[in-house]
Amino acid sequence: AMVGPRAMAVASMVVAAILARADGNPAAPKDGPAMKMLVCDACNAVMGWLAKDVKFLVETGKMWKPKDLRDRIGISCGDPMLPTGAMRDACGYLMADYNEGIARDVALRWTEGSEEFEEDIVPREFCEKLGVCKEGHKTLNHQISFAERKEKDLKWEKEQKAKDAKRKPKKKSKQDDEEEEEEEP
């Protein structure tokens, strides 16, 4: 799908907000709202990938050793599907602050007696429970998609109004005809 100009503008504003710093330093502030949004997006992406691996392990009755689990989590930010730049920075922040929590909660999937035993990982719920994302968080992709839909709807509405205006040329009313006749001597 092509990205429309409005969606591109939204994405550009978000990226500019992430990268803009008063001191000119291109690194985004870790605690800034834009970076928090990207850390949440990174969590959803990482947990989406991990969820597939964990599901396979659970279904085959296997599990990672604690060191292997930590290593697997640690390489998540190097996944080629993860965009470079600010998103990689966000993933680094995610790993620095939440890698132990991620490992602990993933390991519960193969820990008999735990509430999460053999449950699938749902990235959004997982990241909210971990405290990375707030409930109702809208991802960057969701915001771009929403902007594209809105742009498309506005374009369609404008086209409809133009079509309607062409279809209905202004007709003179009887009153207008009578007024013209009165004006002529």
Side-chain angles (χ1 to χ4, degrees):
M2 289 190 42
V3 176
R6 186 177 304 269
M8 190 58 80
V10 169
S12 297
M13 287 187 296
V14 169
V15 171
I18 291 167
L19 301 177
R21 297 261 319 250
D23 60 7
N25 184 347
K30 181 179 176 181
D31 294 327
M35 185 53 76
K36 285 181 180 178
M37 178 180 74
L38 282 179
V39 170
C40 177
D41 286 359
C43 183
N44 281 302
V46 166
M47 294 318 302
W49 302 318
L50 277 173
K52 293 173 187 170
D53 293 345
V54 171
K55 182 177 176 115
F56 172 78
L57 291 172
V58 168
E59 287 175 352
T60 57
K62 299 176 182 175
M63 63 182 182
W64 283 314
K65 295 175 187 164
K67 183 195 179 309
D68 295 334
L69 174 56
R70 283 192 304 279
D71 288 348
R72 174 60 182 84
I73 292 167
I75 64 168
S76 297
C77 294
D79 192 297
M81 295 295 291
L82 190 70
T84 58
M87 186 60 107
R88 294 274 170 120
D89 292 345
C91 192
Y93 294 144
L94 171 72
M95 291 302 138
D97 293 345
Y98 295 97
N99 66 343
E100 289 302 318
I102 292 171
R104 181 186 60 244
D105 286 3
V106 166
L108 291 175
R109 285 359 193 225
W110 51 72
T111 304
E112 286 190 48
S114 79
E115 205 175 297
E116 292 85 356
F117 180 62
E118 295 186 339
E119 271 190 24
D120 287 343
I121 292 174
V122 179
R124 177 176 222 68
E125 292 172 10
F126 189 98
C127 296
E128 285 177 7
K129 181 180 176 200
L130 201 58
V132 179
C133 301
K134 292 184 174 130
E135 194 173 329
H137 165 85
K138 303 284 189 252
T139 65
L140 182 58
N141 283 338
H142 179 273
Q143 292 179 23
I144 290 172
S145 163
F146 177 77
E148 286 176 335
R149 272 195 313 274
K150 190 172 181 179
E151 178 184 0
K152 196 175 186 179
D153 290 347
L154 289 171
K155 183 179 177 185
W156 179 84
E157 188 177 322
K158 191 175 183 180
E159 288 171 358
Q160 288 303 107
K161 286 180 180 178
K163 284 180 185 177
D164 289 347
K166 286 180 183 177
R167 272 191 225 140
K168 299 178 187 174
K170 281 197 166 184
K171 295 181 181 177
K172 289 185 178 180
S173 66
K174 274 188 166 183
Q175 188 178 8
D176 289 343
D177 288 342
E178 289 171 7
E179 286 175 8
E180 281 181 20
E181 288 174 13
E182 289 175 14
E183 289 176 12
E184 293 176 15

